[in-house]
């Protein structure tokens, strides 16, 4: 005679109530378990499930046929089939909401203006966003020190302009200040009472910029709590960032075209920054660009007689 195996099942019926069933024969069906739950709670469940196993909805299936372990912990599901509902939920992926402090969409917009036929990789985009945020961080630090020195509680476009003159190299300062002044003039004219000059839309549209001043203002407020900001401070800073990003992307796009590539990579950004003395002073000396390689160079001692380094590199 073979000894009959007994099953022990604990069913969690909800609200901390557990129905303990012991010495169940292998021929016990799921319908029997549902009946026991009905007798205990007064409501017959539609589904039973064990952790790691599918939903048991077939009342005629026995414990032996389901190959359950000798001790099983089940729980009651009420309403719709949880497996089907989970499949529906997983099929509908949630859309990722863009970060409120990300400059990636603005940088891509600048790239389409400078090089419409050139793309940019994700790693290169990350590097560009990091460079823009680094320059903005240096600007806000200088502006905060200037405000503290003059005992002012408000950071205006004057402090941002002075910060640009302190941080940017000599040649870039002229263009950055000109772009900032132009953006502030357009912004003030767009919100003036003159109907012919009035422009509807966002602050970036009023100032003619790709980088939104409102996003720049949120970062400035986050890093300078306790200070107030003038209405044009973020516009001036956004114009300077817009100018630098356009310069880097233009040179990087040219480097990509020289190498017969249609997508900007970290190496193209590195070549663009190192090739320009002003950008190298502003960004390159304090920035390590990952996966960008090194500058191509051949030492004079290794060159044959009568051949210059540029000719050897072209070959």
């Amino acid at each position: 005679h073979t000894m009959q195996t007994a099953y022990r099942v604990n069913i969690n019926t909800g609200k901390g109530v557990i129905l303990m069933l012991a010495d169940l024969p292998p021929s016990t069906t799921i319908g029997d378990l549902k009946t026991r739950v009905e007798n205990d709670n007064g409501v017959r469940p539609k589904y039973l499930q064990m952790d790691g196993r599918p939903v048991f909805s077939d009342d005629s299936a026995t414990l032996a046929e389901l190959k359950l372990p000798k001790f099983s912990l089940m729980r009651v599901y009420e309403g719709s089939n949880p497996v089907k509902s989970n499949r529906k939920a997983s099929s509908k992926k949630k859309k990722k909401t863009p970060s409120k402090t990300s400059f990636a969409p603005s940088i891509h917009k600048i790239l389409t203006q400078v090089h419409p036929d050139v793309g940019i990789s994700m790693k290169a985009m990350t590097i560009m966003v990091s460079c823009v945020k680094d320059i903005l961080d240096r600007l806000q630090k200088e502006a905060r020190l200037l405000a503290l020195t003059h005992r002012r509680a408000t950071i205006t476009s004057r402090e941002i302009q002075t910060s640009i003159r302190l941080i940017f190299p000599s040649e870039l300062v002229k263009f950055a200040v000109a772009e900032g002044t132009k953006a502030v003039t357009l912004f003030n004219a767009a919100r003036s009472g003159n109907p012919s000059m009035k422009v509807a839309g966002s602050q970036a549209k009023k100032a003619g910029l790709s980088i939104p001043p409102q996003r720049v203002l949120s970062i400035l407020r986050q890093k300078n709590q306790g200070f107030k900001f003038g209405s044009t401070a973020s516009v001036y800073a956004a114009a300077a960032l817009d100018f630098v990003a356009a310069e880097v992307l233009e040179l990087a796009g040219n480097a990509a075209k020289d190498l017969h590539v249609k997508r900007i990579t970290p190496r193209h950004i590195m070549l663009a920054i190192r090739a320009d003395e002003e950008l190298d002073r502003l960004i390159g000396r304090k920035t390590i660009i990952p996966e960008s390689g090194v500058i191509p160079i051949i030492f004079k001692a290794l060159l044959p007689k009568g051949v210059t380094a540029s000719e050897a590199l072209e070959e």
Side-chain angles (χ1 to χ4, degrees):
H1 298 284
T2 58
M3 183 180 295
Q4 189 179 20
T5 306
Y7 285 80
R8 183 159 64 93
V9 178
N10 291 349
I11 303 177
N12 187 356
T13 60
K15 297 182 181 180
V17 179
I18 297 179
L19 178 62
M20 293 181 288
L21 307 176
D23 299 331
L24 297 175
S27 59
T28 304
T29 63
I30 297 297
D32 297 336
L33 297 180
K34 291 181 179 180
T35 303
R36 298 289 292 271
V37 175
E38 182 181 5
N39 295 335
D40 186 76
N41 283 3
V43 179
R44 184 178 181 84
K46 293 183 179 180
Y47 302 101
L48 288 176
Q49 186 187 32
M50 188 177 70
D51 293 338
R53 298 294 299 274
V55 175
F56 306 132
S57 57
D58 186 8
D59 293 351
S60 61
T62 62
L63 300 180
E65 291 174 354
L66 294 173
K67 296 181 180 179
L68 296 177
K70 301 302 180 292
F71 171 75
S72 302
L73 178 60
M74 296 185 182
R75 47 183 174 167
V76 173
Y77 272 104
E78 296 180 359
S80 60
N81 190 328
V83 172
K84 293 182 180 179
S85 61
N86 288 338
R87 287 176 182 172
K88 291 180 182 179
S90 61
S91 62
K92 295 181 181 178
K93 294 183 179 179
K94 294 182 179 179
K95 293 183 179 180
K96 292 184 178 180
T97 56
S99 175
K100 293 183 179 180
T101 58
S102 175
F103 294 104
S106 306
I107 292 173
H108 192 272
K109 186 177 179 181
I110 295 172
L111 179 61
T112 55
Q113 296 172 356
V114 178
H115 290 289
D117 55 340
V118 177
I120 185 170
S121 66
M122 292 183 64
K123 292 181 180 179
M125 179 62 75
T126 304
I127 292 169
M128 285 298 304
V129 172
S130 178
C131 289
V132 170
K133 287 187 176 181
D134 178 66
I135 295 173
L136 179 59
D137 185 61
R138 290 159 63 185
L139 285 177
Q140 63 88 17
K141 285 181 181 178
E142 290 292 338
R144 180 175 58 190
L145 289 176
L146 289 170
L148 289 173
T149 303
H150 295 91
R151 297 180 181 180
R152 294 176 181 172
T154 303
I155 297 176
T156 62
S157 58
R158 184 180 294 275
E159 281 75 24
I160 298 295
Q161 185 187 75
T162 308
S163 302
I164 292 174
R165 294 184 181 277
L166 291 172
I167 294 173
F168 282 44
S170 57
E171 290 297 327
L172 291 180
V173 165
K174 300 177 184 177
F175 298 102
V177 170
E179 290 294 327
T181 306
K182 177 183 175 182
V184 170
T185 304
L186 290 175
F187 180 74
N188 289 332
R191 63 174 187 169
S192 63
N194 189 354
S196 61
M197 299 292 293
K198 213 164 189 179
V199 178
S202 62
Q203 291 185 0
K205 189 174 181 180
K206 292 178 181 177
L209 300 174
S210 297
I211 293 179
Q214 196 64 31
R215 193 162 295 178
V216 173
L217 181 61
S218 65
I219 296 176
L220 292 176
R221 284 175 174 171
Q222 183 180 359
K223 295 188 176 183
N224 296 277
Q225 296 180 0
F227 283 90
K228 296 179 181 180
F229 289 89
S231 58
T232 57
S234 58
V235 176
Y236 209 107
L241 298 177
D242 201 309
F243 164 71
V244 174
E247 286 291 316
V248 175
L249 289 174
E250 184 178 2
L251 295 176
N254 294 336
K257 289 181 178 179
D258 292 340
L259 297 174
H260 307 287
V261 179
K262 291 187 177 181
R263 178 174 292 182
I264 296 175
T265 62
R267 176 159 183 80
H268 301 141
I269 296 177
M270 185 273 294
L271 293 175
I273 293 174
R274 302 296 183 191
D276 190 278
E277 183 181 355
E278 301 291 327
L279 289 176
D280 191 29
R281 288 173 57 189
L282 177 64
I283 303 173
R285 296 181 182 179
K286 297 183 178 181
T287 306
I288 298 175
I289 302 176
E291 300 184 18
S292 60
V294 297
I295 301 175
I297 185 173
I298 300 177
F299 293 102
K300 293 182 178 180
L302 302 176
L303 292 173
K305 292 183 179 180
V307 179
T308 61
S310 58
E311 294 175 353
L313 288 174
E314 288 178 0
E315 294 178 359

